[in-house]
């Protein structure tokens, strides 16, 4: 998915999948283990699909393989499901708006 909001849309879609999967996991394992499994799957999917929110915001990694830190952080945000990602996006977008207003 291309464009300015392509990564955010991808992250939200991944978050919805994670939320659905964790709902299924809860039938078989405890809540604590479900959260861990959701985290692992989220980070793995973000790395596989190169879904990085920081890169989309213009924060480019300066070290070799630094983009993987972005993918992992995005995976952590995605692991909270759609509601967790919404809170994350609000925080990030709020910071961007404040930074632009201070210019």
């Amino acid at each position: 998915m291309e464009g300015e909001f392509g990564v955010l849309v991808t992250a939200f879609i991944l978050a919805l999948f994670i939320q659905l999967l964790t709902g299924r996991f809860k039938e078989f394992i405890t809540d604590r283990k479900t959260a861990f499994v959701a985290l692992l799957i989220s980070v793995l999917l973000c790395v596989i699909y190169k879904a990085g929110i920081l890169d989309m915001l213009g924060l480019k990694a300066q070290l070799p393989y630094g983009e993987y830190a972005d993918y992992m952080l995005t995976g952590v945000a995605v692991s909270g499901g759609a509601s967790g990602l919404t809170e994350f996006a609000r925080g990030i977008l709020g910071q961007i708006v404040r930074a632009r207003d201070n210019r």
Side-chain angles (χ1 to χ4, degrees):
M1 196 170 279
E2 298 294 324
E4 184 174 323
F5 294 103
V7 172
L8 279 178
V9 171
T10 301
F12 273 106
I13 291 170
L14 289 172
L16 290 172
F17 280 128
I18 295 301
Q19 201 164 354
L20 290 170
L21 287 172
T22 54
R24 299 288 183 217
F25 291 143
K26 288 181 182 180
E27 297 175 13
F28 305 106
I29 57 178
T30 64
D31 285 340
R32 188 173 180 170
K33 289 181 182 175
T34 301
F36 182 71
V37 169
L39 178 65
L40 287 177
I41 292 172
S42 298
V43 170
L44 181 64
L45 288 176
C46 286
V47 169
I48 289 171
Y49 290 102
K50 295 186 178 183
I53 293 174
L54 298 177
D55 183 54
M56 190 253 344
L57 294 172
L59 298 170
K60 306 289 183 198
Q62 301 300 312
L63 298 174
Y65 304 106
E67 69 271 11
Y68 289 100
D70 182 17
Y71 305 150
M72 287 187 258
L73 289 172
T74 302
V76 170
V78 167
S79 71
S83 60
L85 189 59
T86 300
E87 290 176 28
F88 177 78
R90 279 187 190 146
I92 292 287
L93 294 175
Q95 293 294 328
I96 292 170
V97 168
R98 278 189 227 108
R100 286 183 183 169
D101 289 346
N102 290 333
R103 287 184 190 176

